[in-house]
Amino acid sequence: MIARLTLSAFVLLAVIATGAAAQQPPFPHDMHAGLFPVCTLCHTMDGPTDDWYPSPTTCAGCHDGAVVDRVEWVAPEPQATLLDFSHTQHDRVAANDAISCEGCHVDAGRDRMTIVDRAVVEQCLSCHGHQSPQHLSGAQCSTCHIPLAESRFDLGRVLALPLPPGHGAPDFLANHEGNAECGVCHTRERCTACHVNAATLADVQALPVAGAGLELPRWTASYFTPPSHQTGEWLWQHGAEAATPASCSSCHTRDTCASCHIDSPPVEVAALPAASHVQAQGVSVRRAAPESHASPVFGTSHAWLAETSPRSCSACHGRTECAACHDAAANAGFHPPQFLESHPTEAFARRLECANCHDAEVFCQACHRTAGRAPTGVTGAVYHDAESAWLLRHGQAARQGLESCASCHRPPDCLRCHSQLGAFRVSPHGPMFDAEQASRRNAFVCRTCHIRDPLGGTGG
């Protein structure tokens, strides 16, 4: 029983010293060299790895506790490995005396069972010549290695996997299209951590999924900026470029685009997957103002851009954001001081688009009546700078800014005078007016006042 106690005490000391799970010293092969002339008397190389070592009953055949002290020996846990190794195949080679067990498990020059150790890569390469100048590149990895997904590596061994040459290059991410060898070191989870559209990529779907015994780290998505995205115009022109769901969804989710596209996003945005439906977080973007917004007077001069390209504004701005300034009731201070005194000139010259915020018929007249500058049922001269002679010279103003007149007046007001059926029958057309040319240019304008074709002599 001494051997049993000594072995147990050794195991206990090992646990205390290392703080690791219970381990046991290597099997004393040298003490059993005379009993086992060949290795296969104890080691069976067929079947699963767990069957490679002798069972406790095999040891008890000698260590019965009567003639020989009883021992408690437990086979070591199989080592997690990426090597695709078959003892059965090598055993066939050994039958031809080309290789033996000690050829891999015993250092050269030592006796067969002096120190038996695990085979190392250098011993494998003594027979299996590596065809690549560098071990980690340029060779068919799957010839000697199983996929990482089939291993039982712990987190430390996964993180300790060597980095092949080229993986650390600045442009590696931009040119890392997958191939069959990626699955030796990577599982599908590594790709789905970055690729938003991983479910649609054949190379990603070809990679194996990590097995239950494999511990993977939490990968942080890493994205590079393509050369096309690095130009100053890309952000404002990407919709007209190659912005398609297939190309954008590699890095972007629908939530990414929603950072800028607030109201009525394009159909391409709606076609992207939502962040809640994929594993990758996607690229995060932050809204930035275009160069046109950098002008110090853009806040008061942006109307031209909003009128010519309203969709460009709605990509980032909602209607409520515009109303915060353009709603006079919400922000009475939008106009500069003493604006009431100067606004007739600006409104008439169309430097302001009053109708963006104001209903001219209701808002303007209500203010003008309060100030005593609005007509009261008759065609008066109160509004027009209180000039009694305004009616006689209003034709020039009407021709220059008819839209300004239409903010208060309706066609019946004009037809009181400018009609063959009116009181004065004053023609609105100036001297030398060519009716035929005007009709050819746009006959629809003539119908604004004329009931019938005026050129036929039956005008209204």
Side-chain angles (χ1 to χ4, degrees), residues 387-402:
E387 295 182 10
S388 57
W390 169 258
L391 187 61
L392 299 178
R393 61 183 184 85
H394 75 281
Q396 180 180 357
R399 286 190 292 271
Q400 292 178 343
L402 186 60

Side-chain angles (χ1 to χ4, degrees), residues 269-409:
V269 174
L272 294 176
S276 58
H277 295 167
V278 295
Q279 298 181 21
Q281 66 183 27
V283 173
S284 299
V285 297
R286 182 170 52 88
R287 291 202 311 179
E291 296 180 358
S292 60
H293 291 42
S295 171
V297 296
F298 182 77
T300 56
S301 64
H302 64 279
W304 65 271
L305 182 60
E307 291 176 359
T308 57
S309 183
R311 189 176 181 184
S312 65
C313 301
S314 62
C316 298
H317 301 285
R319 186 178 300 272
T320 55
E321 189 174 352
C322 300
C325 290
H326 290 282
D327 186 350
N331 189 357
F334 173 74
H335 297 298
Q338 300 180 346
F339 177 75
L340 288 178
E341 289 76 6
S342 63
H343 81 281
T345 303
E346 296 191 34
F348 182 75
R350 299 192 64 191
R351 287 196 292 268
L352 295 175
E353 187 62 45
C354 304
N356 283 342
C357 299
H358 305 290
D359 185 326
E361 185 175 3
V362 176
F363 180 85
C364 299
Q365 289 199 37
C367 183
H368 289 181
R369 288 195 181 99
T370 303
R373 291 179 173 271
T376 56
V378 297
T379 307
V382 179
Y383 166 67
H384 303 289
D385 298 332
E387 295 182 10
S388 57
W390 169 258
L391 187 61
L392 299 178
R393 61 183 184 85
H394 75 281
Q396 180 180 357
R399 286 190 292 271
Q400 292 178 343
L402 186 60
E403 291 184 2
S404 178
C405 302
S407 64
C408 295
H409 298 285

Side-chain angles (χ1 to χ4, degrees), residues 137-309:
S137 66
Q140 295 294 324
C141 307
S142 56
T143 302
C144 300
H145 298 281
I146 63 173
L148 175 65
E150 299 177 12
S151 71
R152 293 178 294 179
F153 275 13
D154 57 22
L155 182 60
R157 295 197 67 180
V158 172
L159 295 175
L161 287 173
L163 192 66
H167 279 49
D171 60 343
F172 173 73
L173 285 179
N175 303 283
H176 73 289
E177 287 80 3
N179 57 61
E181 302 304 317
C182 296
V184 173
C185 296
H186 297 288
T187 65
R188 189 183 305 174
E189 288 82 356
R190 183 67 182 95
C191 299
T192 56
C194 293
H195 287 279
V196 174
N197 59 344
T200 65
L201 299 178
D203 289 339
V204 174
Q205 295 303 308
L207 294 175
V209 178
L214 177 61
E215 186 178 359
L216 293 176
R218 290 183 176 272
W219 299 108
T220 301
S222 177
Y223 298 98
F224 67 96
T225 303
S228 61
H229 291 40
Q230 298 176 10
T231 61
E233 297 80 14
W234 168 257
L235 188 60
W236 319 117
Q237 298 179 356
H238 70 278
E241 299 289 338
T244 63
S247 61
C248 300
S249 62
S250 181
C251 302
H252 298 283
T253 64
R254 189 186 312 165
D255 307 64
T256 304
C257 302
S259 300
C260 295
H261 295 281
I262 300 176
D263 289 348
S264 302
V267 294
E268 292 82 2
V269 174
L272 294 176
S276 58
H277 295 167
V278 295
Q279 298 181 21
Q281 66 183 27
V283 173
S284 299
V285 297
R286 182 170 52 88
R287 291 202 311 179
E291 296 180 358
S292 60
H293 291 42
S295 171
V297 296
F298 182 77
T300 56
S301 64
H302 64 279
W304 65 271
L305 182 60
E307 291 176 359
T308 57
S309 183

